[in-house]
Amino acid sequence: METAKLILRGKEYDLPVLEGTEHEVGIDVTALRAKSGAITFDPGYGNTGSCTSTVTFIDGEAGILRYRGYPIEQLAEHSSFVEVCYLLLYGDLPTENQLANFKGELAHHSLIHEDMKKMFEGYPPTAHPMGILGAMVNSLAAFYGDVPYNQDVQLNMIRLLAKMKTIAAFAFKRSKGQPYVYPKNELSFTGDLINMMFSLPTEHYHISPIIEDALDKIFILHADHEQNCSTSTVRMVGSSHANLFATISAGIAALWGPLHGGANQEVITMLEHIKADDCNYRKYIELAKDKNSDFKLMGFGHRVYRNFDPRAKILKEAADRVLNTIGIQDPLLEIAKNLERVALEDPYFVERKLYPNVDFYSGIIYKAMGIPTNMFTVMFALGRLPGWIAQWKEMTADPTLRIYRPRQIYTGEVLRDYTPISERN
Ligand code: CMC
């Protein structure tokens, strides 16, 4: 077996080396502390492999993203979101029969318990839909059984996939003060979501096939992204044997942050801000480079992609297509393209390998679809759900799983004696 040598304070340690199917190399340090007393130190986990996984492969330098071996470009062009859900959950593309059964199951389980509707009423219409989504997904455990960790949870995986879009649409309707629209089995997964969001009991909404197709593509592009912040959160919480619904709710909370999934909302806020400031995008490029300012170019940069984000490339073309077809001229798209052009030539961004990420163009498409800004991250969550479930499923099937419990390097006070309050200054 190949090993790596570590020399620490004059002593040598042999550490096993792992190699993945795409030749990624990792040094196995599981026995390091027991052998040497030392731990590894890696804040932000930029160099830490927390698991082995068969779900998604990313080569950030080459801009490669594959689900179960299939390139994202091929899936975005030829597949559907439901087919990609199947692929992520079960490891292979479905046969016609398997896909039909899977679609049938998703349609069958798309209603939420009537009593859950009352919970939406408790929120003010101004509540952020991500907060509602997280709370409702957690609450599914109360309605659909807190199935013990080691029991068959196949049904709850399907329930969650089927019901989260209904919850998302109800959260949207709540924010609009409109009556809820129930799921319709005869519609496609994405078409059903659009219908629940935009139809009224009195008025049927015409679903444009272009919009339906674009949203389906966006969901495919978001479906998994290996050990990102929210997926690692799912694995972290799931490692304590928490139930599926509580675990995914934790992933939703992590995704909400503006450095992660919340960035798509922040991008539009930033572009609108620039538009209101005479479209002076150069000023904001300078601000993003200024280390005395907190301003960041939202939708730029990625921990893993250091060349380009393949998802952003597909989305940029999709944004153009959607806007052209529905005849919308959005000045935000022009500002976005200008920011991208200037930033890609600017040494600050070039040296740091900062490129537009998936969130840079997705918001422009959502906006053209009439989806309000505070629903953008909910859309991301719907897309990411099959990835979270697939990673959780993989983890729970791993017989070597241990509870996630990192170590730390303590840098606080050393031992000192308690002083009575009367003696403190
Ligand atoms: N604008 C300006 N400077 C930036 C930006 C940015 N968007 N992103 C990174 N930098 C700078 C950063 O200040 C640092 O500079 P220096 O070396 O001088 O200290 C350097 O680039 C390296 O950045 P980092 O913060 O070490 O990178 P990271 O890997 O820790 O963070 C990131 C990655 C995505 C959180 C970060 O790039 C960022 O905050 N981007 C804006 C938010 C965003 O768009 N998030 C969505 C990510 S993609 C969707 C998803 O999967 O969540």
Side-chain angles (χ1 to χ4, degrees):
M1 190 211 297
E2 191 187 356
T3 56
K5 261 191 199 334
L6 170 77
I7 302 172
L8 179 66
R9 297 183 173 162
K11 276 190 86 175
E12 253 187 45
Y13 302 93
D14 280 327
L15 301 168
V17 170
L18 302 178
E19 190 173 336
T21 48
E22 291 286 350
H23 310 296
E24 290 173 299
V25 175
I27 301 168
D28 180 350
V29 294
T30 41
L32 179 64
R33 189 170 176 279
K35 283 184 180 173
S36 71
I39 60 165
T40 56
F41 182 62
D42 184 21
Y45 307 135
N47 302 287
T48 296
S50 58
C51 58
T52 58
S53 178
T54 60
V55 182
T56 289
F57 172 69
I58 298 179
D59 179 339
E61 276 69 35
I64 291 173
L65 168 62
R66 293 181 201 143
Y67 302 155
R68 304 283 191 190
Y70 296 103
I72 191 65
E73 294 78 6
Q74 290 182 20
L75 292 171
E77 191 171 345
H78 303 296
S79 190
S80 69
F81 179 59
V82 169
E83 191 178 57
V84 167
C85 287
Y86 187 98
L87 171 70
L88 288 170
L89 286 188
Y90 304 113
D92 277 310
L93 287 170
T95 62
E96 257 179 61
N97 256 348
Q98 286 168 332
L99 186 60
N101 286 341
F102 187 57
K103 280 183 179 166
E105 282 189 287
L106 291 181
H108 180 72
H109 289 288
S110 57
L111 272 176
I112 55 172
H113 196 289
E114 277 296 290
D115 287 349
M116 281 192 85
K117 273 183 13 191
K118 295 182 202 133
M119 297 164 71
F120 286 88
E121 312 306 322
Y123 285 93
T126 50
H128 198 291
M130 274 301 271
I132 302 180
L133 184 74
M136 292 298 164
V137 167
N138 205 354
S139 305
L140 286 173
F143 289 87
Y144 299 100
D146 183 352
V147 179
Y149 167 82
N150 54 359
Q151 280 187 8
D152 180 15
V153 288
Q154 168 69 16
L155 176 60
N156 275 356
M157 293 194 310
I158 297 288
R159 279 178 170 149
L160 183 52
L161 266 180
K163 291 178 198 306
M164 201 162 106
K165 76 172 176 346
T166 311
I167 292 175
F170 279 26
F172 174 76
K173 286 296 196 192
R174 174 73 193 137
S175 71
K176 290 265 173 201
Q178 290 178 0
Y180 307 120
V181 173
Y182 285 88
K184 274 193 171 160
N185 288 1
E186 66 273 23
L187 295 176
S188 75
F189 186 92
T190 312
D192 191 28
L193 171 69
I194 296 174
N195 187 59
M196 285 193 284
M197 286 173 72
F198 295 112
S199 273
L200 289 167
T202 49
E203 201 181 303
H204 179 68
Y205 179 81
H206 168 72
I207 304 167
S208 144
I210 292 147
I211 301 278
E212 189 178 346
D213 181 62
L215 192 56
D216 208 69
K217 256 193 200 21
I218 295 182
F219 285 163
I220 293 173
L221 296 177
H222 285 84
D224 193 49
H225 216 232
E226 49 118 305
Q227 307 314 315
N228 58 85
C229 176
S230 55
T231 304
S232 296
T233 302
V234 163
R235 282 188 180 256
M236 169 74 81
V237 174
S239 79
S240 78
H241 295 192
N243 71 68
L244 174 66
F245 302 119
T247 300
I248 299 298
S249 168
I252 292 170
L255 188 76
W256 193 359
L259 297 189
H260 191 12
N264 57 13
Q265 173 171 352
E266 297 296 320
V267 169
I268 292 297
T269 309
M270 173 187 80
L271 294 175
E272 270 165 354
H273 195 79
I274 298 176
K275 183 176 153 220
D277 195 1
D278 291 333
C279 298
N280 189 356
Y281 56 89
R282 286 182 193 276
K283 174 175 157 188
Y284 291 87
I285 296 268
E286 290 312 310
L287 210 56
K289 289 154 52 177
D290 181 356
K291 292 291 172 197
N292 296 317
S293 135
D294 288 341
F295 181 79
K296 274 187 170 185
L297 217 49
M298 297 313 284
F300 261 74
H302 200 277
R303 172 64 61 81
V304 177
Y305 293 120
R306 296 296 178 187
N307 185 339
F308 67 95
D309 180 338
R311 304 166 301 171
K313 215 170 161 186
I314 300 170
L315 274 175
K316 185 182 180 181
E317 287 163 20
D320 269 331
R321 221 175 16 255
V322 167
L323 265 54
N324 284 339
T325 332
I326 53 182
I328 292 182
Q329 293 224 318
D330 190 340
L332 297 194
L333 184 61
E334 269 325 290
I335 301 174
K337 284 184 175 170
N338 280 331
L339 278 180
E340 178 179 355
R341 184 178 44 79
V342 174
L344 293 185
E345 289 163 2
D346 189 301
Y348 174 95
F349 294 90
V350 175
E351 280 159 21
R352 288 169 180 76
K353 299 186 191 310
L354 300 171
Y355 299 88
N357 58 49
V358 70
D359 291 324
F360 197 61
Y361 285 105
S362 60
I364 289 170
I365 306 184
Y366 293 143
K367 192 165 167 277
M369 292 174 182
I371 296 174
T373 328
N374 67 1
M375 278 294 288
F376 290 4
T377 314
V378 171
M379 295 291 133
F380 192 153
L382 286 173
R384 183 55 53 86
L385 181 62
W388 287 333
I389 300 178
Q391 300 265 353
W392 174 85
K393 186 176 172 232
E394 179 180 68
M395 182 186 76
T396 53
D398 180 354
T400 65
L401 171 69
R402 298 169 76 202
I403 190 166
Y404 275 34
R405 202 319 185 170
R407 296 271 177 174
Q408 62 165 15
I409 301 286
Y410 176 69
T411 56
E413 300 284 350
V414 294
L415 180 67
R416 48 182 174 165
D417 286 325
Y418 179 85
T419 44
I421 198 160
S422 55
E423 290 173 24
R424 292 176 215 158
N425 298 322

